[in-house]
Amino acid sequence: MTFHEHVGYWLWEPATGLVQQTVAIPRGQVALASGHAAPDAEEIVVSARRGKTEFGICSTTFLDQAFRTDSYTMTISFHADGSWSYVTDTRLMLEGRDTPFAHADRNTLHRIGDAKPNPWAAILAKRKAG
Protein backbone atom coordinates (compact mmCIF):
# COMPACT_ATOMS: atom_id res chain seq x y z
CA MET A 1 0.00 0.00 0.00
CA THR A 2 1.34 3.44 -0.89
CA PHE A 3 1.78 5.79 2.09
CA HIS A 4 1.34 8.75 -0.21
CA GLU A 5 2.41 10.05 -3.56
CA HIS A 6 3.58 13.54 -4.34
CA VAL A 7 4.82 15.55 -7.26
CA GLY A 8 7.24 18.42 -7.26
CA TYR A 9 10.34 20.06 -8.59
CA TRP A 10 13.92 20.69 -7.58
CA LEU A 11 15.49 24.04 -8.52
CA TRP A 12 19.05 25.27 -8.00
CA GLU A 13 20.25 28.85 -8.47
CA PRO A 14 23.98 28.70 -9.31
CA ALA A 15 24.59 32.38 -8.47
CA THR A 16 23.35 32.06 -4.88
CA GLY A 17 23.54 28.30 -4.24
CA LEU A 18 19.85 28.31 -3.24
CA VAL A 19 18.24 24.87 -3.54
CA GLN A 20 14.45 24.65 -3.56
CA GLN A 21 12.19 21.62 -3.41
CA THR A 22 8.50 22.08 -4.15
CA VAL A 23 6.15 19.28 -3.11
CA ALA A 24 2.41 18.87 -3.70
CA ILE A 25 0.57 16.01 -2.03
CA PRO A 26 -2.81 15.41 -3.71
CA ARG A 27 -4.71 14.90 -0.47
CA GLY A 28 -4.19 18.55 0.39
CA GLN A 29 -0.71 19.66 1.33
CA VAL A 30 2.08 21.67 -0.26
CA ALA A 31 5.59 22.46 0.92
CA LEU A 32 8.39 24.66 -0.32
CA ALA A 33 11.68 23.62 1.29
CA SER A 34 15.03 25.35 0.89
CA GLY A 35 18.72 25.05 1.58
CA HIS A 36 22.03 25.98 -0.02
CA ALA A 37 24.59 23.92 -1.91
CA ALA A 38 27.73 24.42 -3.98
CA PRO A 39 28.04 22.79 -7.44
CA ASP A 40 30.32 20.08 -6.02
CA ALA A 41 28.33 19.47 -2.80
CA GLU A 42 28.32 15.92 -1.52
CA GLU A 43 25.25 16.68 0.58
CA ILE A 44 22.13 18.82 0.18
CA VAL A 45 19.79 19.67 3.06
CA VAL A 46 16.43 21.40 2.54
CA SER A 47 13.80 22.20 5.14
CA ALA A 48 10.37 23.79 5.58
CA ARG A 49 8.29 24.78 8.60
CA ARG A 50 4.57 25.21 9.16
CA GLY A 51 3.47 28.84 9.48
CA LYS A 52 6.36 30.30 7.47
CA THR A 53 5.39 32.45 4.50
CA GLU A 54 8.76 31.76 2.91
CA PHE A 55 9.73 28.10 2.55
CA GLY A 56 6.74 26.82 4.50
CA ILE A 57 4.11 24.10 4.71
CA CYS A 58 0.41 24.63 3.97
CA SER A 59 -2.36 22.05 4.49
CA THR A 60 -6.11 21.62 4.22
CA THR A 61 -8.20 22.19 7.36
CA PHE A 62 -8.62 18.44 7.97
CA LEU A 63 -4.90 17.67 7.69
CA ASP A 64 -3.98 20.68 9.81
CA GLN A 65 -6.31 19.52 12.59
CA ALA A 66 -5.79 15.74 12.48
CA PHE A 67 -2.28 15.26 11.04
CA ARG A 68 -0.55 18.64 11.29
CA THR A 69 2.90 18.73 9.70
CA ASP A 70 5.09 21.10 11.72
CA SER A 71 8.44 20.58 9.98
CA TYR A 72 10.09 18.73 7.14
CA THR A 73 13.78 18.18 6.42
CA MET A 74 15.38 16.16 3.63
CA THR A 75 19.07 15.33 3.51
CA ILE A 76 20.51 13.96 0.27
CA SER A 77 23.99 12.42 0.19
CA PHE A 78 25.86 11.70 -3.06
CA HIS A 79 28.24 8.72 -2.99
CA ALA A 80 31.45 8.01 -4.92
CA ASP A 81 29.92 4.96 -6.65
CA GLY A 82 27.24 7.14 -8.28
CA SER A 83 24.47 6.15 -5.90
CA TRP A 84 22.71 8.62 -3.67
CA SER A 85 20.78 8.39 -0.42
CA TYR A 86 18.08 10.44 1.18
CA VAL A 87 16.70 10.76 4.69
CA THR A 88 13.52 12.69 5.44
CA ASP A 89 12.56 13.81 8.92
CA THR A 90 8.95 14.98 9.26
CA ARG A 91 7.45 16.12 12.59
CA LEU A 92 3.69 15.75 12.87
CA MET A 93 1.14 16.50 15.57
CA LEU A 94 -1.50 13.79 15.44
CA GLU A 95 -4.96 14.35 16.86
CA GLY A 96 -5.17 12.85 20.34
CA ARG A 97 -1.40 12.95 21.02
CA ASP A 98 0.39 15.40 23.29
CA THR A 99 3.83 15.01 21.75
CA PRO A 100 5.03 15.26 18.14
CA PHE A 101 5.29 12.11 16.04
CA ALA A 102 8.65 11.76 14.27
CA HIS A 103 8.31 10.14 10.85
CA ALA A 104 11.56 9.18 9.09
CA ASP A 105 11.99 7.78 5.61
CA ARG A 106 15.29 6.74 4.04
CA ASN A 107 16.55 4.96 0.96
CA THR A 108 19.58 4.55 -1.29
CA LEU A 109 19.16 4.69 -5.05
CA HIS A 110 21.50 3.10 -7.59
CA ARG A 111 21.70 3.91 -11.31
CA ILE A 112 20.57 0.97 -13.41
CA GLY A 113 21.22 2.52 -16.82
CA ASP A 114 22.09 5.68 -18.69
CA ALA A 115 19.48 8.42 -18.87
CA LYS A 116 17.53 8.57 -22.12
CA PRO A 117 16.29 11.90 -23.47
CA ASN A 118 12.58 12.24 -23.88
CA PRO A 119 11.32 11.45 -27.42
CA TRP A 120 10.80 15.10 -28.36
CA ALA A 121 14.41 16.00 -27.45
CA ALA A 122 15.64 13.09 -29.62
CA ILE A 123 13.52 14.27 -32.59
CA LEU A 124 14.86 17.84 -32.27
CA ALA A 125 18.46 16.64 -32.00
CA LYS A 126 18.02 14.50 -35.11
CA ARG A 127 16.55 17.44 -37.07
CA LYS A 128 19.37 19.70 -35.97
CA ALA A 129 22.03 17.19 -37.02
CA GLY A 130 20.39 16.47 -40.39
Side-chain angles (χ1 to χ4, degrees):
M1 172 182 219
T2 302
F3 177 69
H4 79 253
E5 292 182 349
H6 65 265
V7 295
Y9 295 92
W10 285 91
L11 301 169
W12 178 63
E13 295 177 354
T16 64
L18 178 67
V19 177
Q20 300 175 69
Q21 180 193 22
T22 61
V23 178
I25 300 171
R27 68 174 183 258
Q29 188 171 71
V30 294
L32 177 58
S34 71
H36 285 84
D40 58 351
E42 294 180 5
E43 182 177 274
I44 298 171
V45 179
V46 295
S47 61
R49 290 204 167 300
R50 177 180 178 269
K52 300 279 283 179
T53 58
E54 294 181 351
F55 306 112
I57 300 166
C58 184
S59 304
T60 62
T61 302
F62 169 73
L63 287 178
D64 205 50
Q65 291 173 353
F67 303 97
R68 187 182 77 216
T69 302
D70 287 337
S71 65
Y72 164 83
T73 301
M74 177 180 252
T75 303
I76 298 173
S77 301
F78 301 99
H79 309 293
D81 67 358
S83 67
W84 60 280
S85 302
Y86 69 86
V87 177
T88 61
D89 176 22
T90 306
R91 302 294 168 154
L92 304 124
M93 279 303 296
L94 305 179
E95 189 171 359
R97 288 185 59 133
D98 295 331
T99 58
F101 172 75
H103 171 70
D105 183 26
R106 66 186 74 236
N107 209 336
T108 299
L109 294 96
H110 301 271
R111 181 184 302 249
I112 59 170
D114 291 335
K116 296 179 184 175
N118 68 48
W120 183 241
I123 290 168
L124 292 176
K126 195 175 204 179
R127 285 182 184 170
K128 197 175 195 177

